[in-house]
């Protein structure tokens, strides 16, 4: 089974930038480079929502409209790691951030398409 572990969350101040990482263990089968990856978040009192997605080649990327311009998603296939940089953090960015993986073609933002999920990392932004 594929395992994902997020890191990099914490308490930050509004206006700061933050870098999140997701280390992926794909097991002994499929290579990490074959997975489409994404970040989702769950804000307090809200459903889980799409943040950013990236194809296996690391070049095709999609961002949530509500956060576009403040996000950079990337991956290092040699390290089996997914990254997300968030700039100009706002208190409303406070959420648990999750990375997710799927191994088939589809849309980026459909939560149900993703087969594997990490436990999440808490990001708290103070005003």
């Amino acid at each position: 089974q594929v395992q994902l572990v997020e890191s990099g969350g914490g308490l930050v101040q509004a206006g700061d930038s933050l870098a999140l990482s997701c280390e992926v263990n794909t097991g002994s089968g499929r290579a990490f480079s074959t997975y489409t990856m994404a970040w989702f978040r769950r804000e307090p009192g809200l459903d889980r929502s799409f943040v950013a997605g990236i194809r296996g080649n690391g070049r095709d990327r999609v961002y949530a409209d509500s956060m576009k311009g403040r996000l950079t998603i990337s991956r290092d296939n040699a390290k089996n790691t997914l990254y997300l940089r968030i700039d100009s953090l706002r208190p409303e960015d406070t959420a648990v951030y999750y990375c997710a993986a799927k191994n088939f073609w589809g849309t980026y933002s459909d939560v149900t398409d993703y087969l594997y999920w990490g436990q999440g990392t808490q990001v708290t932004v103070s005003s």
Side-chain angles (χ1 to χ4, degrees):
Q1 178 171 270
V2 176
Q3 296 179 336
L4 302 84
V5 181
E6 302 94 337
S7 62
L11 176 62
V12 297
Q13 190 172 355
D16 286 351
S17 296
L18 190 66
L20 307 180
S21 298
C22 174
E23 295 185 349
V24 182
N25 184 349
T26 64
S28 60
R30 194 179 300 271
F32 175 63
S33 60
T34 68
Y35 287 88
T36 291
M37 302 293 299
W39 290 95
F40 291 79
R41 70 180 185 180
R42 183 155 58 195
E43 299 169 87
L46 300 176
D47 294 330
R48 193 172 302 192
S49 61
F50 174 76
V51 175
I54 187 169
R55 297 294 188 191
N57 61 21
R59 294 187 295 274
D60 300 317
R61 308 170 186 183
V62 172
Y63 298 101
D65 288 340
S66 62
M67 300 181 72
K68 189 174 183 179
R70 300 193 294 120
L71 299 172
T72 304
I73 187 171
S74 61
R75 64 193 294 163
D76 187 337
N77 286 339
K79 296 181 178 179
N80 282 23
T81 303
L82 174 73
Y83 303 97
L84 180 70
R85 183 174 181 85
I86 311 173
D87 296 313
S88 301
L89 282 157
R90 308 166 181 173
E92 54 263 40
D93 292 325
T94 295
V96 178
Y97 286 74
Y98 302 87
C99 65
K102 63 179 180 179
N103 58 7
F104 57 91
W105 185 91
T107 61
Y108 284 102
S109 60
D110 190 345
V111 170
T112 63
D113 274 358
Y114 289 85
L115 302 176
Y116 309 104
W117 294 83
Q119 295 296 311
T121 185
Q122 175 71 48
V123 175
T124 303
V125 185
S126 62
S127 60

